[in-house]
Amino acid sequence: MRKLYLIGIGAGNPEHITVQAIKALNLVDVFFFMDKGEAKQDLVNLRKQICERYIENRSYRVVEADDPVRDPTISDYITRVELWHRQRALIYEEMIAQQLEEDECGAFLVWGDPSLYDSTLRVIEHIIARGRLCFEFEVIPGITSIQALAARHKISLNGIGESIVITTGRQLSAGLSGTAERTIVMLDGQCSFNTLLDEELDIYWGAYLGMEDEILLSGKLSEIASRIEEVRHERRQRNGWIMDTYLLSRPSKATQAVSSRAHTSCDQND
């Protein structure tokens, strides 16, 4: 039976690839790449570089197809994305049926990790639900932009006994969660952090994480928000695309407690 691997390839640095991913890469006969246009050719090129770097047997094939564009005339976001997924499913199904023999392995190389804010798993589920094509599939986890962000800023994602929320810019525009001290935001093309400038928050922002063009900015949100927006716009114009994520952090309870004890100690000494 045909087999597919959904392989997480990390946030942009070829060295994010895990040993498990390298072993899977070397089992693959056909790699399926989606072409998102000239502006995002870097994303395809990196996938090809990963194959060239880690695959010892050069007999694999690469099959490319044009990625469908989400219909901007559909106003409802979920409806628009679900239609896009169904369109992708038809393309994936055709590629697998036509290009992958019954005894071969195919693979989709997924930016970051297949389980987090990526559509590949859902598209595969659409194909399986259609019932026209039989195959096995396996998911190989990858380093997410969240992990890369924390590592590059040298920070912990959570404070002691504190919780974190992972959300999108679309959801953030409705306000912060009242139960989490820290919020990780992905897919924010509108710089939704600007709606929170009145709150006491720190921001740790990163774009092109792990790549040569990597940018890191951090500080008080109210002081650095305009700089982040300016840099983000400039780099997107220059490169034709941008992938960024950020962490918003309220003052830590532990930090506040330490600060309070320090002030008390100073008062006593005075």
Side-chain angles (χ1 to χ4, degrees):
M1 181 181 292
R2 297 179 178 98
K3 182 165 184 177
L4 284 178
Y5 287 99
L6 310 185
I7 304 174
I9 60 171
N13 186 337
E15 295 186 357
H16 285 171
I17 297 294
T18 65
V19 173
Q20 184 185 20
I22 292 173
K23 289 181 177 179
L25 288 172
N26 280 277
L27 298 175
V28 173
D29 300 295
V30 184
F31 289 94
F32 300 106
F33 294 162
M34 299 304 289
D35 187 347
K36 297 176 180 290
E38 185 177 352
K40 295 185 178 180
Q41 187 60 35
D42 289 347
L43 305 180
V44 173
N45 291 341
L46 179 64
R47 287 170 167 84
K48 291 180 178 179
Q49 290 169 20
I50 286 172
C51 290
E52 292 169 359
R53 180 169 181 170
Y54 291 111
I55 296 176
E56 297 177 4
N57 180 358
R58 301 295 178 180
S59 64
Y60 64 88
R61 309 188 303 278
V62 172
V63 175
E64 297 187 44
D66 292 336
D67 199 15
V69 178
R70 282 181 274 187
D71 187 347
T73 65
I74 301 175
S75 58
D76 181 73
Y77 175 75
I78 293 177
T79 301
R80 185 165 67 249
V81 172
E82 286 181 343
L83 175 60
W84 178 51
H85 287 172
R86 289 196 294 271
Q87 292 172 329
R88 270 188 160 189
L90 294 175
I91 295 172
Y92 284 22
E93 184 179 83
E94 182 68 15
M95 286 196 299
I96 295 167
Q98 296 296 324
Q99 301 293 335
L100 193 64
E101 300 295 333
E102 290 291 340
D103 60 346
E104 289 186 322
C105 292
F108 290 91
L109 303 187
V110 178
W111 205 268
D113 182 272
S115 68
L116 185 64
Y117 287 114
D118 181 82
S119 65
T120 310
L121 262 171
R122 292 188 183 90
V123 172
I124 295 300
E125 290 168 357
H126 276 297
I127 298 173
I128 292 172
R130 283 168 54 81
R132 298 181 180 180
L133 197 62
C134 291
F135 56 86
E136 298 175 345
F137 77 94
E138 184 175 340
V139 178
I140 308 296
I143 292 175
T144 67
S145 61
I146 296 171
Q147 295 162 282
L149 179 79
R152 297 297 293 136
H153 277 290
K154 303 177 183 178
I155 56 173
S156 297
L157 290 172
N158 65 289
I160 299 172
E162 295 180 348
S163 59
I164 59 174
V165 166
I166 302 174
T167 189
T168 65
R170 184 179 297 273
Q171 295 293 329
L172 183 69
S173 60
L176 285 171
S177 166
T179 60
E181 289 80 10
R182 301 189 183 194
T183 302
I184 296 162
V185 185
M186 306 178 72
L187 307 177
D188 185 7
Q190 306 302 319
C191 296
S192 300
F193 50 74
N194 283 320
T195 64
L196 302 170
L197 298 183
D198 292 337
E199 300 206 28
E200 187 178 355
L201 294 166
D202 293 324
I203 185 169
Y204 298 87
W205 179 84
Y208 309 106
L209 291 162
M211 304 181 75
E212 291 183 1
D213 287 340
E214 179 182 276
I215 321 165
L216 299 171
L217 293 170
S218 63
K220 295 293 183 184
L221 177 61
S222 58
E223 298 174 359
I224 201 173
S226 60
R227 175 59 179 159
I228 292 174
E229 187 169 15
E230 175 187 335
V231 169
R232 190 184 191 283
H233 176 75
E234 187 274 328
R235 289 303 178 91
R236 183 169 187 173
Q237 291 291 110
R238 179 195 301 180
N239 296 335
W241 65 280
I242 189 168
M243 286 189 181
D244 60 334
T245 189
Y246 56 90
L247 169 70
L248 294 174
S249 175
R250 292 187 173 107
S252 167
K253 294 176 183 176
T255 302
Q256 290 176 326
V258 170
S259 177
S260 176
R261 288 196 296 272
H263 282 300
T264 302
S265 176
C266 288
D267 292 341
Q268 291 173 345
N269 290 335
D270 290 345

